[in-house]
Amino acid sequence: MDPTQLVVAYCERLDGAFWAEPANAISNMTFFMTTVGILWALFRKRRFDAPVIGLSALVALIGVSSFLFHTLATPLTSALDILSIAIFILAVFFFAILRLFKIGLTGATLVTVGFLGLSWFLSLLLGPKLGLSAMYIGPLISLFAIALTIAPNNRKIALGFFMTGLMFTLSVIFLTMDQQFCDWFPIGTHFMWHVLNAVVAYMLLRLVIYAKQVNQPAPNHPA
């Protein structure tokens, strides 16, 4: 793999210029907006939630990695972009499972490993038809699976995951559509993948915050 090779993956890029993908590059600002929004929500409620702060930092890392890919467009920045998303998905899935189902660190780790295996299998199975989008089918299914599983105990959280699943479905559609509409929409649809994913990340982190609040034991008041 030549680390200097130009990666032309989306409609917007026509040459090797740094700003050849302005919409795809600038739309990464939405990830930083998500990070600021989550940190502000914690600050406003005077809550310290170390895992959520860490997850917020991962969202910002996605923004940085994706910006580098859509400006430098090399195999290395492409790998960094994909890796940052994968790390966030695994991390947010782990903490969601840990907080929602009270199965402990070992249980949450095993479920996360199973989720990783299923996602990998689906990406291999669907890759020939969906391309890069196939790697997100596992995470997409998991959002609806969590919604169905948690519904009997907490309909509010279940509805949150269901709505997040719908939002992510739309996001994956925009990712998949990009190359198919280059002729009549030259900037492509990939920038909407960024915008909607930032919204999905915000919704997920708010759900993880809420899951902690719901599952916290009630304080003991003196008689």
Side-chain angles (χ1 to χ4, degrees):
M1 180 181 68
D2 181 1
T4 63
Q5 178 185 353
L6 180 67
V7 177
V8 180
Y10 303 105
C11 294
E12 201 174 20
R13 181 167 291 280
L14 300 177
D15 54 46
F18 185 86
W19 285 113
E21 299 180 60
N24 290 344
I26 295 172
S27 57
N28 286 295
M29 288 298 298
T30 54
F31 291 110
F32 300 103
M33 293 169 64
T34 290
T35 297
V36 172
I38 291 298
L39 294 179
W40 172 249
L42 291 175
F43 175 79
R44 186 166 53 87
K45 297 293 185 179
R46 291 182 172 82
R47 292 192 178 96
F48 178 78
D49 193 329
V52 171
I53 292 173
L55 290 170
S56 299
L58 288 177
V59 174
L61 178 61
I62 291 174
V64 171
S65 302
S66 184
F67 177 81
L68 290 175
F69 172 50
H70 291 292
T71 51
L72 301 178
T74 66
L76 181 60
T77 55
S78 175
L80 182 62
D81 180 31
I82 295 173
L83 183 61
S84 64
I85 296 173
I87 292 173
F88 172 77
I89 289 174
L90 290 173
V92 75
F93 180 88
F94 172 82
F95 283 107
I97 295 299
L98 182 66
R99 291 185 174 183
L100 289 172
F101 299 104
K102 300 179 181 179
I103 56 177
L105 290 172
T106 301
T109 300
L110 291 175
V111 173
T112 303
V113 171
F115 162 70
L116 176 60
L118 175 63
S119 298
W120 177 76
F121 172 75
L122 289 175
S123 68
L124 292 180
L125 181 66
L126 302 175
K129 291 186 177 181
L130 297 179
L132 182 63
S133 300
M135 67 182 291
Y136 301 109
I137 299 303
L140 177 59
I141 291 173
S142 74
L143 292 172
F144 293 110
I146 291 174
L148 289 173
T149 305
I150 204 70
N153 299 320
N154 193 309
R155 291 185 179 180
K156 184 174 181 179
I157 291 182
L159 179 61
F161 273 96
F162 181 77
M163 296 304 295
T164 305
L166 291 180
M167 185 68 69
F168 193 51
T169 299
L170 186 59
S171 181
V172 172
I173 289 173
F174 277 112
L175 173 66
T176 308
M177 286 171 50
D178 184 83
Q179 289 288 343
Q180 301 177 29
F181 296 94
C182 295
D183 290 340
W184 65 272
F185 195 59
I187 68 171
T189 60
H190 187 75
F191 73 97
M192 286 301 300
W193 160 256
H194 296 157
V195 174
L196 293 178
N197 274 356
V199 176
V200 168
Y202 183 83
M203 295 171 73
L204 281 173
L205 294 188
R206 290 304 298 257
L207 286 167
V208 172
I209 292 172
Y210 182 68
K212 180 181 180 181
Q213 297 170 12
V214 169
N215 292 325
Q216 278 181 333
N220 294 323
H221 298 287

